[in-house]
């Protein structure tokens, strides 16, 4: 059988034309040294700072991120099981930056800093992913804070108000109720869920015991607050890189909702308006700073004050700068940050506390002495301040609580003076008595937030002298009865106040009249 050469040529030609090969080119390096969540890699000469890399271990792929660029090697942090990474393992650069899943599917879930579920629930149905470390919106993209973020805590909403888009630090020693204040603020957002003012809450737990966080999640579930909350957990047993990245991941998950204000008419699966306001609680940033210090020392970055690296200020500033109230052109969404910092023996002048105080727009200082005296929340009104919240305060509250902070601060001074047993004149004694009752009035049980109208009525009663002749131990009992009176017999007055949230002479007269009526019939 004779085969023509041109036939063979045409067949070969056809085969060549049909043959395609996909060539994959990726830069690879080798692990030179590994330990404590840090790997040093040789061979990734074109790696970028912050780039994701993939470790090819015997147990599968483990992700890491480039932190140090040195002459011959790069220093990486390992996200995940760093014990499976061995010297000599192959490392592949990805050309990508770190991203986490975002969207409605994260609500009600407990996730790790990479967005993987920790609550034994189904896989997360994300709407997409977003970069973890971004530049905060610029001045032109923002507007001044002007809407209140109600925490439901009388002492805060009246004297240290927080606005949507603000950064308010919660600071104090351990076991003074810092987390309780943040959780109250989250639980209080339940009243807005399903409305156009809905607030999504992100609770980031850094360096805490898993049992403590399980208690927090249970508290939120019991209060019905978990449906609009995402818990990001990097526990005390998690490696330092996970604790370092957790607040940024939580912030990214929140920013997705903040920017959704640009998309008109968007709804949740339930049909409710898509939320554009976010509350992020970072609990706590002193543990993040310690994790970052550990990373930095292992990466051989030179230590500075208190062994923290020089860029530890940048660690927190680039996180908290992302809290903002966006301009109307950007959808007018907001991200409010409540960072928590733990002090040692009340030392607010230590390195990390002073750093974060200078970055935030005010602080709520919780004092151990007040806590042990039974004043809870144990807020020290002398040191606590809000630098922007007054602009966002409800008009009625601003009017009646204007002098409250000064009165309470003066009361604390007088109280110390009166303990010397000095004879006091009538006016001073009256001021002391009023202050004593106001302190009682501002006490509040944990996880029991007050509605704004009830707060206004309570503080109105205190500042207008309705409690001056009530026994201090009966103040909260009187308050409860009075608020019940405004929900029943004087409901019309309460409804009017609820609608206006501002006080004119006519409404003030009606409230005073209703309080006099209640007080006359009260037998405490």
């Amino acid at each position: 059988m004779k085969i023509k050469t041109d036939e063979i040529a045409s067949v070969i030609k056809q085969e060549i034309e049909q043959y395609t090969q996909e060539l994959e080119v990726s830069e690879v390096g080798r692990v030179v040294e590994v330990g404590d969540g840090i790997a040093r890699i040789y061979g990734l000469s074109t790696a970028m700072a912050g780039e994701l890399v993939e470790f090819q271990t015997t147990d599968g792929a483990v992700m890491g991120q480039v932190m140090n660029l040195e002459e011959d090697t790069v220093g990486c942090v390992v996200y995940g099981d760093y014990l499976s990474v061995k010297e000599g393992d192959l490392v592949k650069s990805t050309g990508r930056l770190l991203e986490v899943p975002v969207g409605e599917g994260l609500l009600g879930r407990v996730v790790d800093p990479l967005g993987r579920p920790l609550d034994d629930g189904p896989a997360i149905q994300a709407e997409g992913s977003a970069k973890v470390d971004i530049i905060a919106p610029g001045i032109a993209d923002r507007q001044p804070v002007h809407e209140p973020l109600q925490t439901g805590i009388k002492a805060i909403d009246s004297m240290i108000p927080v606005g949507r888009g603000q950064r308010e630090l919660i600071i104090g020693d351990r076991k003074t109720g810092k987390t309780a204040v943040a959780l109250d603020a989250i639980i209080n957002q339940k009243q807005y869920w399903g409305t156009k003012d809905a607030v999504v809450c992100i609770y980031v737990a850094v360096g805490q015991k898993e049992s403590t966080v399980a208690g927090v999640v249970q508290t939120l579930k019991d209060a019905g607050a978990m449906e609009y909350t995402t818990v990001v957990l990097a526990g005390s047993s998690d490696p330092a890189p996970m604790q370092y990245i957790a607040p940024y991941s939580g912030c990214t998950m929140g920013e997705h909702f903040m920017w959704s204000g640009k998309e008109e008419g968007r709804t949740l699966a339930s049909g409710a308006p898509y939320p554009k306001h976010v509350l992020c609680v970072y609990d706590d940033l002193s543990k993040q700073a310690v994790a970052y210090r550990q990373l930095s020392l292992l990466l051989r970055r030179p230590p500075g004050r208190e062994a923290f690296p020089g860029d530890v200020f940048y660690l927190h500033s680039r996180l908290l700068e992302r809290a903002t109230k966006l301009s109307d052109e950007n959808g007018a969404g907001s991200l409010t940050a409540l960072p928590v910092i733990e002090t040692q023996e009340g030392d607010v002048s230590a390195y990390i506390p002073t750093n974060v105080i200078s970055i935030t727009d005010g602080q709520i200082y919780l004092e151990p002495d007040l806590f042990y005296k039974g004043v809870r929340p144990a807020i020290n009104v002398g040191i606590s301040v809000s630098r922007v919240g007054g602009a966002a305060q409800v008009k009625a509250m601003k009017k009646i609580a204007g002098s409250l902070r000064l009165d309470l601060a003066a009361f604390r001074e007088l109280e110390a003076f009166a303990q010397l047993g000095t004879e006091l004149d009538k006016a001073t004694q009256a001021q002391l008595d009023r202050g004593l009752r106001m302190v009682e009035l501002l006490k509040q049980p944990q996880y029991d937030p007050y509605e704004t109208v009830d707060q206004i009525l309570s503080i109105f009663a205190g500042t207008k002298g309705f409690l001056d002749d009530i026994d201090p131990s009966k103040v909260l009992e009187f308050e409860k009865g009075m608020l019940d009176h405004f929900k029943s017999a004087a409901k019309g007055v309460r409804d009017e106040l609820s609608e206006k949230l501002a006080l004119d002479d006519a409404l003030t007269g009606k409230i005073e009249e209703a309080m006099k009526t209640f007080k006359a019939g009260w037998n405490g």
Side-chain angles (χ1 to χ4, degrees):
M1 181 184 170
K2 193 178 179 186
I3 300 172
K4 293 181 183 173
T5 52
D6 56 341
E7 274 182 27
I8 295 171
S10 70
V11 169
I12 293 171
K13 192 176 176 185
Q14 197 178 346
E15 288 292 324
I16 291 170
E17 281 172 359
Q18 286 174 352
Y19 179 73
T20 57
Q21 181 180 7
E22 287 192 9
L23 191 63
E24 187 189 328
V25 179
S26 60
E27 193 185 346
V28 292
R30 294 262 177 205
V31 176
V32 184
E33 188 185 349
V34 64
D36 295 314
I38 301 293
R40 204 168 293 282
I41 300 158
Y42 177 80
L44 294 181
S45 56
T46 61
M48 305 179 290
E51 183 180 351
L52 271 187
V53 294
E54 199 177 284
F55 293 88
Q56 310 288 329
T57 73
T58 50
D59 299 340
V62 175
M63 300 311 288
Q65 191 177 17
V66 176
M67 294 276 277
N68 270 18
L69 299 175
E70 289 155 26
E71 203 169 339
D72 300 316
T73 59
V74 296
C76 278
V77 296
V78 183
Y79 295 129
D81 181 17
Y82 63 85
L83 294 174
S84 64
V85 178
K86 302 279 186 289
E87 283 181 26
D89 279 351
L90 212 61
V91 187
K92 202 164 72 171
S93 63
T94 63
R96 293 183 293 121
L97 297 172
L98 184 61
E99 294 186 338
V100 288
V102 292
E104 189 184 344
L106 287 157
L107 296 180
R109 302 300 300 270
V110 181
V111 297
D112 75 357
L114 302 180
R116 299 175 300 206
L118 296 173
D119 53 7
D120 299 329
I124 289 186
Q125 301 297 315
E127 290 172 28
S129 59
K131 287 189 173 60
V132 166
D133 217 346
I134 61 153
I135 296 172
I139 298 294
D141 293 324
R142 305 175 179 225
Q143 62 176 304
V145 173
H146 63 270
E147 304 160 311
L149 181 109
Q150 300 292 351
T151 63
I153 299 170
K154 290 178 281 188
I156 293 176
D157 290 344
S158 60
M159 295 183 289
I160 318 147
V162 181
R164 290 186 176 185
Q166 190 175 339
R167 302 158 298 184
E168 185 78 10
L169 172 64
I170 301 170
I171 185 168
D173 283 11
R174 62 187 301 272
K175 297 286 179 205
T176 48
K178 301 185 296 297
T179 301
V181 168
L183 291 185
D184 273 339
I186 292 175
I187 291 167
N188 194 51
Q189 305 314 313
K190 187 173 176 23
Q191 59 183 309
Y192 305 109
W193 188 242
T195 70
K196 62 178 175 53
D197 280 331
V199 180
V200 163
C201 301
I202 312 284
Y203 177 81
V204 182
V206 182
Q208 295 186 43
K209 287 187 297 191
E210 276 83 348
S211 57
T212 307
V213 180
V216 166
V217 172
Q218 194 55 51
T219 299
L220 293 173
K221 279 182 180 166
D222 293 345
M226 206 56 203
E227 63 176 320
Y228 53 83
T229 305
T230 301
V231 175
V232 180
L233 168 61
S236 53
S237 60
D238 286 336
M242 295 297 255
Q243 294 184 40
Y244 151 70
I245 207 71
Y248 301 105
S249 297
C251 186
T252 301
M253 291 167 189
E255 278 172 335
H256 166 78
F257 291 98
M258 176 179 82
W259 287 100
S260 71
K262 292 179 82 169
E263 301 167 43
E264 286 297 320
R266 195 171 174 192
T267 58
L268 294 167
S270 62
Y274 205 84
K276 62 177 181 178
H277 299 292
V278 186
L279 170 64
C280 278
V281 176
Y282 307 117
D283 191 5
D284 69 45
L285 290 189
S286 31
K287 291 197 177 69
Q288 188 209 13
V290 168
Y292 185 66
R293 171 169 66 188
Q294 181 184 326
L295 288 185
S296 299
L297 293 174
L298 288 166
L299 284 163
R300 309 228 174 107
R301 292 181 178 180
R305 188 172 148 194
E306 293 173 31
F308 283 103
D311 64 338
V312 78
F313 181 90
Y314 177 60
L315 172 80
H316 290 149
S317 62
R318 77 178 194 265
L319 169 70
L320 294 169
E321 277 300 320
R322 288 161 73 172
T324 176
K325 169 68 182 165
L326 291 175
S327 62
D328 290 337
E329 297 77 44
N330 284 319
S334 70
L335 190 142
T336 311
L338 291 181
V340 177
I341 287 285
E342 186 182 294
T343 52
Q344 308 291 327
E345 296 292 324
D347 183 13
V348 290
S349 62
Y351 189 31
I352 300 299
T354 48
N355 267 0
V356 185
I357 285 170
S358 63
I359 295 164
T360 49
D361 310 309
Q363 67 275 348
I364 296 163
Y365 177 60
L366 301 171
E367 196 176 345
D369 289 351
L370 290 174
F371 187 83
Y372 300 132
K373 278 183 193 167
V375 179
R376 297 177 190 183
I379 295 168
N380 177 321
V381 290
I383 300 178
S384 301
V385 62
S386 171
R387 298 194 187 100
V388 295
Q393 210 170 8
V394 171
K395 284 194 177 75
M397 183 66 91
K398 199 169 185 179
K399 189 170 182 180
I400 56 157
S403 62
L404 188 56
R405 275 194 72 221
L406 291 173
D407 290 349
L408 275 173
F411 162 70
R412 292 269 171 243
E413 298 289 325
L414 281 176
E415 191 181 30
F417 184 65
Q419 281 173 345
L420 301 171
T422 323
E423 284 291 318
L424 300 173
D425 61 84
K426 213 169 182 181
T428 308
Q429 188 61 50
Q431 197 175 1
L432 202 60
D433 291 344
R434 167 86 51 102
L436 197 64
R437 284 157 181 80
M438 289 310 294
V439 168
E440 286 298 316
L441 184 69
L442 291 173
K443 286 182 184 177
Q444 195 170 331
Q446 215 169 319
Y447 314 136
D448 181 23
Y450 274 51
E451 284 182 48
T452 309
V453 184
D454 290 343
Q455 291 184 23
I456 294 167
L457 291 170
S458 290
I459 287 158
F460 186 99
T463 52
K464 296 288 184 186
F466 283 97
L467 306 174
D468 289 358
D469 54 352
I470 303 282
D471 185 285
S473 63
K474 298 275 181 74
V475 164
L476 288 175
E477 194 184 314
F478 176 86
E479 180 205 33
K480 186 178 183 304
M482 180 197 72
L483 293 177
D484 288 343
H485 175 72
F486 274 97
K487 286 173 184 169
S488 51
K491 191 173 186 304
V493 181
R494 188 183 188 279
D495 290 347
E496 190 180 338
L497 176 61
S498 181
E499 193 182 320
K500 288 184 180 174
L501 288 178
L503 288 171
D504 51 30
D505 292 343
L507 184 53
T508 303
K510 286 180 191 173
I511 294 171
E512 284 182 354
E513 204 53 52
M515 284 185 180
K516 282 176 188 166
T517 308
F518 167 72
K519 194 173 175 182
W522 187 69
N523 49 4

